[in-house]
Amino acid sequence: MNKLLSFESLLVLDAIDRRGSFAAAAEELQRAPSSLSYQVQKLEQDLDLVIFDRSGHRAAFTKAGELLLERGRKLLNAADEMVNDAVSLAHGWELDITLGFDGIVDINRLFPLVPALEEKGGTRLHLQEEILAGSWEALSQDRIDLLIASMPTVVPNDVKVVTIGQLSMNWVASPNHPIFKSNDPLNPEERRKHRVIAVRDSAINAPPISYNILDKQAVLRVRSMSDKLKALKAGLGIGTFNVDDIDAELKSGELAIVGNDPVHTLDLVLAWRRSQMGRAKSWLIENVKKKVKLTE
């Protein structure tokens, strides 16, 4: 015979543990303490186990009771999530949505979107870093739903883009790097003498792209912008960065700007495929520019 455990019983056990007593739990659940005690005793009889040790001054969970409580809470949380997901779907909000971003955009700038979207429609926002051509490949293959990246040379026909900001990129290096001994450090012939730190394109099938790497120049390729930052601080080479994102490293003296002028200014765009428009996707399109501070 199957032994059934109701969600109501799990709610009772949860309340007793959180409130510390049967009486306090009964008050929270707006029930008589005797009714609560009877339900627990009936549960123990039905399951043929002791949930509470009543030998002391106050009833305490047995090991079996603690197991029921721990796993029961997982069921309660899953039930809440299921209901919330059903409500979200019923009102046109996607359960999950993935916002891809090129690594030149600091992920910290995107964090305000996470609670704002969850509060608005309950959609879970996932942030996914991509690099260069890999960003647009991820969008074209539906691995991401929207993308923040620099404006491409050619915009795919089925993709809509809107400009949302700019980033100014500067060459930076460790202050002890030999490039600072040069009178003209940004001259291509001078730069060619020094290793450049570059992030590997995340494209799987598309031809990879690279910028600011000269012919016959030594290159150290890393997997992410955070790895690039570590390599630069370690004095392993030179590289470009949005200086607004490394303000702490510049102030502490771990990094210094090479030369005086930005290498170039990048137009940042928000891009999405025109199909499969849900309410969360529409909300992000409308609010990314409002809630993401892309320029200082």
Side-chain angles (χ1 to χ4, degrees):
M1 179 179 178
N2 293 329
K3 297 179 179 180
L4 300 179
L5 181 63
S6 68
F7 275 94
E8 183 183 6
S9 297
L10 295 177
L11 288 170
V12 168
L13 297 181
D14 173 67
I16 293 171
D17 179 65
R18 286 188 294 100
R19 299 302 299 271
S21 70
F22 278 68
E27 181 180 359
E28 177 181 312
L29 297 174
Q30 297 183 339
R31 292 177 55 181
S34 58
S35 171
L36 219 63
S37 298
Y38 174 79
Q39 183 170 353
V40 170
Q41 292 173 3
K42 183 69 166 56
L43 180 63
E44 290 178 321
Q45 293 174 4
D46 292 342
L47 299 180
D48 193 23
L49 57 82
V50 177
I51 298 175
F52 286 97
D53 179 359
R54 298 172 175 81
S55 61
H57 175 69
R58 176 178 294 181
F61 281 95
T62 62
K63 292 294 183 182
E66 290 176 351
L67 180 64
L68 280 178
L69 178 66
E70 177 186 354
R71 297 192 181 178
R73 279 175 171 161
K74 292 180 180 179
L75 292 174
L76 291 173
N77 290 336
D80 287 341
E81 185 175 334
M82 177 182 64
V83 172
N84 290 335
D85 287 350
V87 171
S88 295
L89 275 178
H91 290 83
W93 291 88
E94 302 92 315
L95 299 184
D96 298 90
I97 194 165
T98 301
L99 173 62
F101 62 99
D102 191 292
I104 57 173
V105 178
D106 189 344
I107 192 173
N108 289 288
R109 297 176 183 269
L110 307 180
F111 288 157
L113 292 169
V114 179
L117 181 57
E118 285 186 351
E119 180 180 353
K120 185 67 179 178
T123 300
R124 294 178 290 266
L125 176 61
H126 307 281
L127 301 174
Q128 181 170 313
E129 182 178 5
E130 298 287 348
I131 304 296
L132 297 170
S135 301
W136 296 95
E137 181 186 79
L139 184 63
S140 68
Q141 296 181 356
D142 292 326
R143 299 201 301 271
I144 58 177
D145 299 291
L146 300 98
L147 171 66
I148 298 176
S150 60
M151 177 71 81
T153 305
V154 178
V155 177
N157 291 332
D158 63 339
V159 171
K160 173 72 174 177
V161 300
V162 292
T163 302
I164 57 174
Q166 292 183 324
L167 289 182
S168 294
M169 309 295 288
N170 288 76
W171 284 100
V172 297
S174 168
N176 299 321
H177 194 279
I179 197 170
F180 289 105
K181 296 179 181 179
S182 171
N183 293 324
D184 189 12
L186 296 182
N187 183 290
E189 291 306 313
E190 178 62 36
R191 285 198 288 119
R192 196 189 310 274
K193 301 175 185 177
H194 308 287
R195 181 188 300 110
V196 63
I197 312 299
V199 182
R200 184 180 294 111
D201 197 312
S202 62
I204 299 173
N205 300 310
I209 299 173
S210 62
Y211 291 112
N212 302 317
I213 300 176
L214 301 170
D215 291 340
K216 299 181 181 180
Q217 184 178 21
V219 183
L220 171 61
R221 297 189 187 275
V222 294
R223 294 180 63 88
S224 67
M225 291 296 284
S226 61
D227 288 343
K228 179 178 179 177
L229 182 60
K230 293 174 184 176
L232 290 169
K233 289 162 62 175
L236 296 179
I238 62 175
T240 57
F241 240 100
N242 173 24
V243 293
D244 291 333
D245 292 334
I246 54 172
D247 183 63
E249 287 79 8
L250 293 172
K251 287 181 178 178
S252 68
E254 294 177 281
L255 291 177
I257 296 175
V258 179
N260 298 318
D261 299 323
V263 175
H264 50 250
T265 299
L266 299 175
D267 288 324
L268 288 179
V269 299
L270 177 65
W272 65 93
R273 298 181 71 185
R274 301 172 191 271
S275 60
Q276 300 176 338
M277 292 297 297
R279 293 188 67 181
K281 191 173 183 179
S282 298
W283 184 91
L284 284 168
I285 292 168
E286 182 180 350
N287 287 274
V288 162
K289 191 171 183 178
K290 297 177 183 177
K291 296 184 178 296
V292 177
K293 191 178 181 183
L294 292 171
T295 55
E296 296 299 320

